Amino acid sequence: MAPTNQKDIRFFAFCSGWGLPVETSGPFPLKLATWMRMVGLDYTYVEENNTTKGPKGKSPWIEHDGVAMGDSTLIAEYLHGEYDLPDLDKHLTKEQRALSVVVQRMLEEHYHQCFEHQLFFGRGGRARLLELAGRMPPVVRTLLPPMLTRAFGKQLHARGMGRHPEDVIIAQGKSDLDALSVLLGDNKFFHGDKPSSIDACIFGFLGVSVYVEGDNPMYNHAASLPNLYAYCERMRETYFPETAEKLAFQTSTARKPAQSAA
């Protein structure tokens, strides 16, 4: 339930794509959307693929009560200050809170690079670039793929990941996913039977991985791990119930954990 007297939150984020059932294909936008739903905040989704319009030049950002703000973590902190929201981490021990920080850093600082590389440079990357370009105004459709290729290539090289051969990048991404699978175990949510804020981050990155169409080896690996796939389905059904109908008509995108991770 939304807080009383909640002002409109305009949520600007990448479009969806590549077979994903959720409203955005960006891991950080999906993280923020999940968190807002977990704490009961209503928002108005605004598809915006031009990140230069945002206050930090990144996706997502929000506009709220005359304030424009970027960065998913800072946005969540800001909204907590604006409203009386539930503390999703109230039940956690200090050790669990520390583990949440470690997992968040792994996903946002390391797996994100592997994810981004495979999204546009891995198997199926060219088709995904063209799909994204098709959502843009005609004047930039032909210019966007080479522009994004250069931009993402430069970013990944500067951060170090882009200096590795592709098989190393895929192996490192799979290693992150394997570690997450071990840490999750048989838990319903990451820390047990009750959700916490780290679940928004985890679903943000898994949700844009396990549902990707095609035969990309890293995304296939994410979907092949039974507990990660089941976790994604549980989070999707709990916080994005409107996606059930879409997945029902996209059976090719609903991967099964029994498929090969090769």
Side-chain angles (χ1 to χ4, degrees):
M1 180 180 295
T4 305
N5 299 323
Q6 179 188 327
K7 298 181 177 68
D8 184 43
I9 300 171
R10 286 166 56 80
F11 168 61
F12 295 83
F14 288 129
C15 64
S16 188
W18 12 106
L20 303 184
V22 288
E23 61 199 351
T24 178
S25 58
F28 290 100
L30 183 55
K31 166 193 168 184
L32 181 59
T34 304
W35 178 84
M36 288 192 289
R37 291 177 181 226
M38 290 173 76
V39 297
L41 282 172
D42 293 331
Y43 60 86
T44 300
Y45 167 69
V46 181
E47 180 181 318
E48 183 51 75
N49 299 306
N50 184 355
T51 59
T52 63
K53 294 182 180 180
K56 291 184 179 289
K58 295 283 188 178
S59 183
W61 71 92
I62 66 164
E63 290 181 358
H64 173 261
D65 197 21
V67 175
M69 176 171 289
D71 190 283
S72 58
T73 297
L74 296 180
I75 291 170
E77 291 176 358
Y78 163 78
L79 292 173
H80 249 302
E82 292 292 301
Y83 298 107
D84 182 18
L85 301 175
D87 181 357
L88 297 176
D89 297 338
K90 184 178 181 179
H91 62 288
L92 299 182
T93 66
K94 64 179 182 180
E95 290 80 10
Q96 289 174 320
R97 291 170 185 263
L99 181 58
S100 293
V101 172
V102 172
V103 170
Q104 179 181 350
R105 298 292 187 264
M106 178 186 75
L107 292 173
E108 295 186 356
E109 303 301 330
H110 188 267
Y111 180 73
H112 180 225
Q113 295 185 61
C114 303
F115 164 84
E116 196 170 79
H117 180 277
Q118 285 301 286
L119 190 67
F120 295 126
F121 298 101
R123 192 179 302 168
R126 177 64 179 173
R128 288 187 285 273
L129 269 174
L130 293 176
E131 181 181 341
L132 177 60
R135 303 289 292 266
M136 303 297 284
V139 68
V140 299
R141 284 179 188 170
T142 58
L143 300 175
L144 188 65
M147 287 174 57
L148 286 180
T149 298
R150 287 193 298 271
F152 284 123
K154 185 176 181 179
Q155 288 179 21
L156 289 166
H157 188 269
R159 297 174 70 184
M161 186 63 70
R163 301 168 191 256
H164 300 316
E166 184 177 33
D167 62 332
V168 171
I169 296 172
I170 293 173
Q172 291 194 5
K174 287 182 176 181
S175 180
D176 290 340
L177 293 164
D178 289 340
L180 185 61
S181 176
V182 170
L183 291 172
L184 176 64
D186 296 328
N187 289 346
K188 181 178 180 181
F189 298 101
F190 185 70
H191 286 301
D193 290 335
K194 294 180 65 175
S196 59
S197 59
I198 189 59
D199 289 296
C201 179
I202 293 172
F203 184 64
F205 282 86
L206 287 184
V208 298
S209 297
V210 304
Y211 298 114
V212 174
E213 291 179 316
D215 60 351
N216 181 277
M218 197 176 75
Y219 303 143
N220 280 5
H221 185 70
S224 76
L225 297 170
N227 64 337
L228 294 191
Y229 183 86
Y231 172 89
C232 276
E233 285 290 271
R234 195 155 47 245
M235 289 291 291
R236 180 187 62 77
E237 291 169 358
T238 301
Y239 298 110
F240 296 85
E242 75 277 11
T243 62
E245 184 176 352
K246 184 174 182 180
L247 271 183
F249 287 96
Q250 292 178 232
T251 54
S252 65
T253 72
R255 300 182 186 279
K256 302 299 181 184
Q259 75 180 83
S260 171

mmCIF file of all heavy atoms in Angstrom, residues 73-115:
data_model
loop_
_atom_site.group_PDB
_atom_site.id
_atom_site.type_symbol
_atom_site.label_atom_id
_atom_site.label_comp_id
_atom_site.label_asym_id
_atom_site.label_seq_id
_atom_site.Cartn_x
_atom_site.Cartn_y
_atom_site.Cartn_z
ATOM 1 N N THR A 73 20.644 3.514 -5.393
ATOM 2 C CA THR A 73 20.816 3.454 -3.938
ATOM 3 C C THR A 73 20.494 4.787 -3.291
ATOM 4 O O THR A 73 19.796 4.855 -2.266
ATOM 5 C CB THR A 73 22.255 3.037 -3.583
ATOM 6 O OG1 THR A 73 22.500 1.713 -4.086
ATOM 7 C CG2 THR A 73 22.477 3.029 -2.075
ATOM 8 N N LEU A 74 20.969 5.885 -3.884
ATOM 9 C CA LEU A 74 20.709 7.209 -3.329
ATOM 10 C C LEU A 74 19.226 7.569 -3.429
ATOM 11 O O LEU A 74 18.680 8.241 -2.545
ATOM 12 C CB LEU A 74 21.558 8.259 -4.030
ATOM 13 C CG LEU A 74 23.072 8.116 -3.848
ATOM 14 C CD1 LEU A 74 23.811 9.227 -4.592
ATOM 15 C CD2 LEU A 74 23.459 8.116 -2.381
ATOM 16 N N ILE A 75 18.578 7.121 -4.504
ATOM 17 C CA ILE A 75 17.137 7.363 -4.652
ATOM 18 C C ILE A 75 16.372 6.671 -3.531
ATOM 19 O O ILE A 75 15.468 7.253 -2.920
ATOM 20 C CB ILE A 75 16.640 6.885 -6.029
ATOM 21 C CG1 ILE A 75 17.205 7.775 -7.144
ATOM 22 C CG2 ILE A 75 15.114 6.887 -6.079
ATOM 23 C CD1 ILE A 75 16.969 7.228 -8.539
ATOM 24 N N ALA A 76 16.734 5.422 -3.235
ATOM 25 C CA ALA A 76 16.060 4.692 -2.164
ATOM 26 C C ALA A 76 16.261 5.395 -0.822
ATOM 27 O O ALA A 76 15.317 5.521 -0.021
ATOM 28 C CB ALA A 76 16.585 3.255 -2.094
ATOM 29 N N GLU A 77 17.474 5.873 -0.569
ATOM 30 C CA GLU A 77 17.742 6.595 0.680
ATOM 31 C C GLU A 77 16.916 7.881 0.750
ATOM 32 O O GLU A 77 16.358 8.221 1.800
ATOM 33 C CB GLU A 77 19.230 6.917 0.785
ATOM 34 C CG GLU A 77 20.108 5.680 0.994
ATOM 35 C CD GLU A 77 21.586 6.018 0.995
ATOM 36 O OE1 GLU A 77 21.932 7.208 0.802
ATOM 37 O OE2 GLU A 77 22.406 5.095 1.179
ATOM 38 N N TYR A 78 16.819 8.586 -0.362
ATOM 39 C CA TYR A 78 16.043 9.824 -0.413
ATOM 40 C C TYR A 78 14.567 9.555 -0.134
ATOM 41 O O TYR A 78 13.938 10.247 0.685
ATOM 42 C CB TYR A 78 16.217 10.483 -1.777
ATOM 43 C CG TYR A 78 15.178 11.533 -2.101
ATOM 44 C CD1 TYR A 78 15.257 12.809 -1.558
ATOM 45 C CD2 TYR A 78 14.108 11.237 -2.953
ATOM 46 C CE1 TYR A 78 14.296 13.776 -1.840
ATOM 47 C CE2 TYR A 78 13.154 12.191 -3.245
ATOM 48 C CZ TYR A 78 13.248 13.465 -2.687
ATOM 49 O OH TYR A 78 12.291 14.412 -2.965
ATOM 50 N N LEU A 79 14.013 8.533 -0.776
ATOM 51 C CA LEU A 79 12.591 8.238 -0.591
ATOM 52 C C LEU A 79 12.301 7.752 0.821
ATOM 53 O O LEU A 79 11.228 8.021 1.371
ATOM 54 C CB LEU A 79 12.136 7.212 -1.634
ATOM 55 C CG LEU A 79 12.111 7.727 -3.082
ATOM 56 C CD1 LEU A 79 11.823 6.591 -4.053
ATOM 57 C CD2 LEU A 79 11.089 8.842 -3.250
ATOM 58 N N HIS A 80 13.245 7.065 1.434
ATOM 59 C CA HIS A 80 13.082 6.676 2.836
ATOM 60 C C HIS A 80 12.967 7.912 3.722
ATOM 61 O O HIS A 80 12.230 7.905 4.716
ATOM 62 C CB HIS A 80 14.267 5.823 3.285
ATOM 63 C CG HIS A 80 13.908 4.392 3.555
ATOM 64 N ND1 HIS A 80 12.954 4.020 4.470
ATOM 65 C CD2 HIS A 80 14.376 3.239 3.016
ATOM 66 C CE1 HIS A 80 12.850 2.701 4.490
ATOM 67 N NE2 HIS A 80 13.699 2.202 3.619
ATOM 68 N N GLY A 81 13.699 8.955 3.351
ATOM 69 C CA GLY A 81 13.629 10.180 4.125
ATOM 70 C C GLY A 81 12.351 10.971 3.903
ATOM 71 O O GLY A 81 11.945 11.771 4.750
ATOM 72 N N GLU A 82 11.710 10.746 2.763
ATOM 73 C CA GLU A 82 10.490 11.468 2.421
ATOM 74 C C GLU A 82 9.238 10.807 2.986
ATOM 75 O O GLU A 82 8.233 11.482 3.229
ATOM 76 C CB GLU A 82 10.360 11.572 0.896
ATOM 77 C CG GLU A 82 11.401 12.471 0.239
ATOM 78 C CD GLU A 82 11.196 13.923 0.614
ATOM 79 O OE1 GLU A 82 10.102 14.467 0.344
ATOM 80 O OE2 GLU A 82 12.128 14.521 1.196
ATOM 81 N N TYR A 83 9.269 9.501 3.173
ATOM 82 C CA TYR A 83 8.081 8.761 3.579
ATOM 83 C C TYR A 83 8.399 7.821 4.741
ATOM 84 O O TYR A 83 9.548 7.413 4.945
ATOM 85 C CB TYR A 83 7.529 7.941 2.407
ATOM 86 C CG TYR A 83 7.090 8.775 1.237
ATOM 87 C CD1 TYR A 83 7.840 8.806 0.060
ATOM 88 C CD2 TYR A 83 5.936 9.552 1.298
ATOM 89 C CE1 TYR A 83 7.439 9.583 -1.016
ATOM 90 C CE2 TYR A 83 5.532 10.328 0.225
ATOM 91 C CZ TYR A 83 6.290 10.337 -0.930
ATOM 92 O OH TYR A 83 5.896 11.110 -1.994
ATOM 93 N N ASP A 84 7.366 7.462 5.454
ATOM 94 C CA ASP A 84 7.479 6.493 6.531
ATOM 95 C C ASP A 84 7.350 5.100 5.912
ATOM 96 O O ASP A 84 6.246 4.554 5.791
ATOM 97 C CB ASP A 84 6.382 6.731 7.574
ATOM 98 C CG ASP A 84 6.488 5.773 8.759
ATOM 99 O OD1 ASP A 84 7.577 5.194 8.933
ATOM 100 O OD2 ASP A 84 5.482 5.600 9.474
ATOM 101 N N LEU A 85 8.478 4.557 5.519
ATOM 102 C CA LEU A 85 8.495 3.294 4.799
ATOM 103 C C LEU A 85 8.980 2.162 5.698
ATOM 104 O O LEU A 85 9.731 2.398 6.654
ATOM 105 C CB LEU A 85 9.417 3.397 3.575
ATOM 106 C CG LEU A 85 9.063 4.467 2.549
ATOM 107 C CD1 LEU A 85 10.129 4.515 1.461
ATOM 108 C CD2 LEU A 85 7.691 4.208 1.951
ATOM 109 N N PRO A 86 8.574 0.942 5.406
ATOM 110 C CA PRO A 86 9.059 -0.185 6.202
ATOM 111 C C PRO A 86 10.567 -0.364 6.043
ATOM 112 O O PRO A 86 11.121 -0.136 4.968
ATOM 113 C CB PRO A 86 8.292 -1.382 5.630
ATOM 114 C CG PRO A 86 7.873 -0.961 4.260
ATOM 115 C CD PRO A 86 7.627 0.513 4.347
ATOM 116 N N ASP A 87 11.223 -0.747 7.122
ATOM 117 C CA ASP A 87 12.652 -1.049 7.086
ATOM 118 C C ASP A 87 12.803 -2.511 6.694
ATOM 119 O O ASP A 87 12.587 -3.421 7.508
ATOM 120 C CB ASP A 87 13.273 -0.784 8.460
ATOM 121 C CG ASP A 87 14.776 -1.046 8.482
ATOM 122 O OD1 ASP A 87 15.326 -1.489 7.451
ATOM 123 O OD2 ASP A 87 15.396 -0.826 9.540
ATOM 124 N N LEU A 88 13.165 -2.746 5.454
ATOM 125 C CA LEU A 88 13.254 -4.111 4.948
ATOM 126 C C LEU A 88 14.357 -4.920 5.614
ATOM 127 O O LEU A 88 14.356 -6.154 5.549
ATOM 128 C CB LEU A 88 13.487 -4.096 3.431
ATOM 129 C CG LEU A 88 12.379 -3.484 2.574
ATOM 130 C CD1 LEU A 88 12.804 -3.468 1.110
ATOM 131 C CD2 LEU A 88 11.067 -4.237 2.744
ATOM 132 N N ASP A 89 15.301 -4.228 6.247
ATOM 133 C CA ASP A 89 16.455 -4.918 6.841
ATOM 134 C C ASP A 89 16.400 -4.976 8.368
ATOM 135 O O ASP A 89 17.378 -5.368 9.019
ATOM 136 C CB ASP A 89 17.754 -4.229 6.413
ATOM 137 C CG ASP A 89 17.975 -4.290 4.912
ATOM 138 O OD1 ASP A 89 17.390 -5.187 4.264
ATOM 139 O OD2 ASP A 89 18.719 -3.447 4.383
ATOM 140 N N LYS A 90 15.269 -4.614 8.929
ATOM 141 C CA LYS A 90 15.149 -4.540 10.390
ATOM 142 C C LYS A 90 15.448 -5.868 11.065
ATOM 143 O O LYS A 90 16.004 -5.920 12.180
ATOM 144 C CB LYS A 90 13.742 -4.058 10.762
ATOM 145 C CG LYS A 90 13.526 -3.843 12.246
ATOM 146 C CD LYS A 90 12.119 -3.309 12.514
ATOM 147 C CE LYS A 90 11.899 -3.074 14.009
ATOM 148 N NZ LYS A 90 10.526 -2.533 14.282
ATOM 149 N N HIS A 91 15.100 -6.967 10.408
ATOM 150 C CA HIS A 91 15.243 -8.290 11.024
ATOM 151 C C HIS A 91 16.620 -8.908 10.834
ATOM 152 O O HIS A 91 16.889 -9.996 11.352
ATOM 153 C CB HIS A 91 14.196 -9.240 10.437
ATOM 154 C CG HIS A 91 14.351 -9.455 8.954
ATOM 155 N ND1 HIS A 91 14.051 -8.476 8.023
ATOM 156 C CD2 HIS A 91 14.775 -10.536 8.241
ATOM 157 C CE1 HIS A 91 14.263 -8.949 6.809
ATOM 158 N NE2 HIS A 91 14.715 -10.185 6.907
ATOM 159 N N LEU A 92 17.508 -8.231 10.117
ATOM 160 C CA LEU A 92 18.809 -8.819 9.798
ATOM 161 C C LEU A 92 19.816 -8.646 10.928
ATOM 162 O O LEU A 92 19.819 -7.634 11.633
ATOM 163 C CB LEU A 92 19.373 -8.195 8.524
ATOM 164 C CG LEU A 92 18.563 -8.349 7.238
ATOM 165 C CD1 LEU A 92 19.306 -7.723 6.079
ATOM 166 C CD2 LEU A 92 18.239 -9.815 6.956
ATOM 167 N N THR A 93 20.696 -9.630 11.068
ATOM 168 C CA THR A 93 21.814 -9.510 11.993
ATOM 169 C C THR A 93 22.897 -8.642 11.348
ATOM 170 O O THR A 93 22.861 -8.371 10.138
ATOM 171 C CB THR A 93 22.413 -10.887 12.305
ATOM 172 O OG1 THR A 93 23.002 -11.423 11.103
ATOM 173 C CG2 THR A 93 21.340 -11.842 12.814
ATOM 174 N N LYS A 94 23.882 -8.229 12.130
ATOM 175 C CA LYS A 94 24.963 -7.422 11.562
ATOM 176 C C LYS A 94 25.773 -8.218 10.545
ATOM 177 O O LYS A 94 26.287 -7.666 9.564
ATOM 178 C CB LYS A 94 25.862 -6.866 12.662
ATOM 179 C CG LYS A 94 26.618 -7.896 13.473
ATOM 180 C CD LYS A 94 27.489 -7.216 14.521
ATOM 181 C CE LYS A 94 28.301 -8.246 15.318
ATOM 182 N NZ LYS A 94 29.156 -7.583 16.338
ATOM 183 N N GLU A 95 25.872 -9.536 10.757
ATOM 184 C CA GLU A 95 26.581 -10.377 9.794
ATOM 185 C C GLU A 95 25.817 -10.458 8.467
ATOM 186 O O GLU A 95 26.413 -10.423 7.386
ATOM 187 C CB GLU A 95 26.783 -11.785 10.369
ATOM 188 C CG GLU A 95 27.776 -11.869 11.512
ATOM 189 C CD GLU A 95 27.194 -11.455 12.845
ATOM 190 O OE1 GLU A 95 25.949 -11.279 12.932
ATOM 191 O OE2 GLU A 95 27.976 -11.309 13.810
ATOM 192 N N GLN A 96 24.496 -10.564 8.546
ATOM 193 C CA GLN A 96 23.679 -10.595 7.338
ATOM 194 C C GLN A 96 23.737 -9.262 6.594
ATOM 195 O O GLN A 96 23.783 -9.232 5.367
ATOM 196 C CB GLN A 96 22.237 -10.944 7.690
ATOM 197 C CG GLN A 96 22.038 -12.393 8.117
ATOM 198 C CD GLN A 96 20.634 -12.671 8.598
ATOM 199 O OE1 GLN A 96 20.022 -11.849 9.300
ATOM 200 N NE2 GLN A 96 20.090 -13.827 8.221
ATOM 201 N N ARG A 97 23.749 -8.172 7.331
ATOM 202 C CA ARG A 97 23.875 -6.852 6.694
ATOM 203 C C ARG A 97 25.212 -6.734 5.977
ATOM 204 O O ARG A 97 25.290 -6.185 4.875
ATOM 205 C CB ARG A 97 23.724 -5.745 7.737
ATOM 206 C CG ARG A 97 22.316 -5.602 8.307
ATOM 207 C CD ARG A 97 22.296 -4.648 9.497
ATOM 208 N NE ARG A 97 20.986 -4.601 10.121
ATOM 209 C CZ ARG A 97 20.063 -3.670 9.881
ATOM 210 N NH1 ARG A 97 20.324 -2.696 9.021
ATOM 211 N NH2 ARG A 97 18.900 -3.697 10.493
ATOM 212 N N ALA A 98 26.259 -7.240 6.613
ATOM 213 C CA ALA A 98 27.587 -7.190 5.995
ATOM 214 C C ALA A 98 27.618 -8.037 4.722
ATOM 215 O O ALA A 98 28.174 -7.627 3.694
ATOM 216 C CB ALA A 98 28.646 -7.671 6.987
ATOM 217 N N LEU A 99 27.009 -9.223 4.774
ATOM 218 C CA LEU A 99 26.960 -10.089 3.595
ATOM 219 C C LEU A 99 26.173 -9.415 2.475
ATOM 220 O O LEU A 99 26.531 -9.541 1.296
ATOM 221 C CB LEU A 99 26.337 -11.432 3.957
ATOM 222 C CG LEU A 99 26.243 -12.460 2.823
ATOM 223 C CD1 LEU A 99 27.615 -12.763 2.234
ATOM 224 C CD2 LEU A 99 25.578 -13.745 3.321
ATOM 225 N N SER A 100 25.127 -8.682 2.821
ATOM 226 C CA SER A 100 24.345 -7.959 1.812
ATOM 227 C C SER A 100 25.221 -6.960 1.070
ATOM 228 O O SER A 100 25.129 -6.825 -0.156
ATOM 229 C CB SER A 100 23.168 -7.226 2.471
ATOM 230 O OG SER A 100 22.232 -8.127 2.999
ATOM 231 N N VAL A 101 26.077 -6.260 1.810
ATOM 232 C CA VAL A 101 26.975 -5.285 1.182
ATOM 233 C C VAL A 101 27.932 -5.992 0.223
ATOM 234 O O VAL A 101 28.163 -5.531 -0.905
ATOM 235 C CB VAL A 101 27.768 -4.502 2.251
ATOM 236 C CG1 VAL A 101 28.832 -3.624 1.593
ATOM 237 C CG2 VAL A 101 26.834 -3.634 3.081
ATOM 238 N N VAL A 102 28.474 -7.120 0.654
ATOM 239 C CA VAL A 102 29.417 -7.862 -0.189
ATOM 240 C C VAL A 102 28.741 -8.335 -1.479
ATOM 241 O O VAL A 102 29.293 -8.199 -2.583
ATOM 242 C CB VAL A 102 29.997 -9.066 0.590
ATOM 243 C CG1 VAL A 102 30.827 -9.960 -0.331
ATOM 244 C CG2 VAL A 102 30.859 -8.575 1.760
ATOM 245 N N VAL A 103 27.540 -8.889 -1.361
ATOM 246 C CA VAL A 103 26.817 -9.382 -2.540
ATOM 247 C C VAL A 103 26.447 -8.225 -3.464
ATOM 248 O O VAL A 103 26.557 -8.333 -4.693
ATOM 249 C CB VAL A 103 25.561 -10.167 -2.104
ATOM 250 C CG1 VAL A 103 24.666 -10.470 -3.300
ATOM 251 C CG2 VAL A 103 25.976 -11.461 -1.415
ATOM 252 N N GLN A 104 26.019 -7.113 -2.884
ATOM 253 C CA GLN A 104 25.695 -5.951 -3.712
ATOM 254 C C GLN A 104 26.909 -5.491 -4.509
ATOM 255 O O GLN A 104 26.816 -5.202 -5.704
ATOM 256 C CB GLN A 104 25.190 -4.805 -2.834
ATOM 257 C CG GLN A 104 24.845 -3.540 -3.635
ATOM 258 C CD GLN A 104 24.359 -2.408 -2.767
ATOM 259 O OE1 GLN A 104 24.097 -2.582 -1.577
ATOM 260 N NE2 GLN A 104 24.236 -1.228 -3.344
ATOM 261 N N ARG A 105 28.060 -5.427 -3.864
ATOM 262 C CA ARG A 105 29.279 -4.994 -4.562
ATOM 263 C C ARG A 105 29.658 -5.988 -5.663
ATOM 264 O O ARG A 105 30.097 -5.595 -6.745
ATOM 265 C CB ARG A 105 30.435 -4.844 -3.575
ATOM 266 C CG ARG A 105 30.210 -3.805 -2.496
ATOM 267 C CD ARG A 105 30.173 -2.385 -3.048
ATOM 268 N NE ARG A 105 30.123 -1.428 -1.952
ATOM 269 C CZ ARG A 105 29.005 -0.877 -1.462
ATOM 270 N NH1 ARG A 105 27.829 -1.209 -1.988
ATOM 271 N NH2 ARG A 105 29.056 -0.035 -0.454
ATOM 272 N N MET A 106 29.514 -7.280 -5.390
ATOM 273 C CA MET A 106 29.833 -8.281 -6.410
ATOM 274 C C MET A 106 28.969 -8.093 -7.648
ATOM 275 O O MET A 106 29.470 -8.115 -8.786
ATOM 276 C CB MET A 106 29.640 -9.687 -5.851
ATOM 277 C CG MET A 106 29.901 -10.811 -6.872
ATOM 278 S SD MET A 106 29.508 -12.475 -6.269
ATOM 279 C CE MET A 106 27.708 -12.449 -6.339
ATOM 280 N N LEU A 107 27.667 -7.895 -7.417
ATOM 281 C CA LEU A 107 26.753 -7.765 -8.548
ATOM 282 C C LEU A 107 26.935 -6.447 -9.280
ATOM 283 O O LEU A 107 26.997 -6.402 -10.512
ATOM 284 C CB LEU A 107 25.310 -7.906 -8.061
ATOM 285 C CG LEU A 107 24.903 -9.292 -7.561
ATOM 286 C CD1 LEU A 107 23.508 -9.248 -6.950
ATOM 287 C CD2 LEU A 107 24.959 -10.318 -8.685
ATOM 288 N N GLU A 108 27.029 -5.354 -8.533
ATOM 289 C CA GLU A 108 27.037 -4.025 -9.151
ATOM 290 C C GLU A 108 28.396 -3.635 -9.722
ATOM 291 O O GLU A 108 28.457 -2.870 -10.692
ATOM 292 C CB GLU A 108 26.575 -2.987 -8.137
ATOM 293 C CG GLU A 108 25.128 -3.189 -7.706
ATOM 294 C CD GLU A 108 24.599 -2.081 -6.813
ATOM 295 O OE1 GLU A 108 25.382 -1.175 -6.451
ATOM 296 O OE2 GLU A 108 23.397 -2.112 -6.479
ATOM 297 N N GLU A 109 29.467 -4.136 -9.128
ATOM 298 C CA GLU A 109 30.794 -3.726 -9.568
ATOM 299 C C GLU A 109 31.502 -4.758 -10.431
ATOM 300 O O GLU A 109 32.396 -4.405 -11.196
ATOM 301 C CB GLU A 109 31.668 -3.391 -8.349
ATOM 302 C CG GLU A 109 31.090 -2.323 -7.443
ATOM 303 C CD GLU A 109 30.862 -0.994 -8.153
ATOM 304 O OE1 GLU A 109 31.603 -0.688 -9.107
ATOM 305 O OE2 GLU A 109 29.931 -0.265 -7.762
ATOM 306 N N HIS A 110 31.128 -6.026 -10.309
ATOM 307 C CA HIS A 110 31.820 -7.047 -11.105
ATOM 308 C C HIS A 110 30.885 -7.743 -12.094
ATOM 309 O O HIS A 110 31.088 -7.669 -13.305
ATOM 310 C CB HIS A 110 32.489 -8.084 -10.208
ATOM 311 C CG HIS A 110 33.369 -9.021 -10.982
ATOM 312 N ND1 HIS A 110 32.918 -10.234 -11.482
ATOM 313 C CD2 HIS A 110 34.670 -8.915 -11.377
ATOM 314 C CE1 HIS A 110 33.895 -10.828 -12.136
ATOM 315 N NE2 HIS A 110 34.964 -10.062 -12.087
ATOM 316 N N TYR A 111 29.824 -8.392 -11.565
ATOM 317 C CA TYR A 111 28.926 -9.086 -12.488
ATOM 318 C C TYR A 111 28.333 -8.128 -13.509
ATOM 319 O O TYR A 111 28.121 -8.505 -14.672
ATOM 320 C CB TYR A 111 27.807 -9.803 -11.729
ATOM 321 C CG TYR A 111 26.858 -10.527 -12.662
ATOM 322 C CD1 TYR A 111 27.241 -11.695 -13.317
ATOM 323 C CD2 TYR A 111 25.582 -10.007 -12.935
ATOM 324 C CE1 TYR A 111 26.389 -12.339 -14.197
ATOM 325 C CE2 TYR A 111 24.723 -10.646 -13.816
ATOM 326 C CZ TYR A 111 25.130 -11.805 -14.440
ATOM 327 O OH TYR A 111 24.293 -12.426 -15.329
ATOM 328 N N HIS A 112 28.085 -6.906 -13.097
ATOM 329 C CA HIS A 112 27.525 -5.919 -14.024
ATOM 330 C C HIS A 112 28.389 -5.765 -15.265
ATOM 331 O O HIS A 112 27.886 -5.626 -16.382
ATOM 332 C CB HIS A 112 27.366 -4.571 -13.321
ATOM 333 C CG HIS A 112 26.797 -3.504 -14.198
ATOM 334 N ND1 HIS A 112 27.298 -2.218 -14.259
ATOM 335 C CD2 HIS A 112 25.763 -3.523 -15.083
ATOM 336 C CE1 HIS A 112 26.600 -1.505 -15.122
ATOM 337 N NE2 HIS A 112 25.666 -2.269 -15.634
ATOM 338 N N GLN A 113 29.702 -5.785 -15.108
ATOM 339 C CA GLN A 113 30.594 -5.650 -16.261
ATOM 340 C C GLN A 113 30.482 -6.868 -17.182
ATOM 341 O O GLN A 113 30.456 -6.731 -18.408
ATOM 342 C CB GLN A 113 32.040 -5.489 -15.789
ATOM 343 C CG GLN A 113 32.308 -4.211 -15.014
ATOM 344 C CD GLN A 113 33.771 -4.058 -14.687
ATOM 345 O OE1 GLN A 113 34.614 -3.980 -15.579
ATOM 346 N NE2 GLN A 113 34.094 -4.030 -13.408
ATOM 347 N N CYS A 114 30.427 -8.058 -16.590
ATOM 348 C CA CYS A 114 30.259 -9.277 -17.393
ATOM 349 C C CYS A 114 28.924 -9.242 -18.120
ATOM 350 O O CYS A 114 28.834 -9.573 -19.318
ATOM 351 C CB CYS A 114 30.340 -10.511 -16.502
ATOM 352 S SG CYS A 114 31.859 -10.668 -15.540
ATOM 353 N N PHE A 115 27.868 -8.851 -17.391
ATOM 354 C CA PHE A 115 26.533 -8.744 -17.968
ATOM 355 C C PHE A 115 26.527 -7.775 -19.146
ATOM 356 O O PHE A 115 25.988 -8.070 -20.221
ATOM 357 C CB PHE A 115 25.555 -8.273 -16.889
ATOM 358 C CG PHE A 115 24.236 -7.768 -17.427
ATOM 359 C CD1 PHE A 115 23.216 -8.652 -17.717
ATOM 360 C CD2 PHE A 115 24.030 -6.413 -17.648
ATOM 361 C CE1 PHE A 115 22.005 -8.190 -18.225
ATOM 362 C CE2 PHE A 115 22.829 -5.944 -18.144
ATOM 363 C CZ PHE A 115 21.812 -6.837 -18.440
#
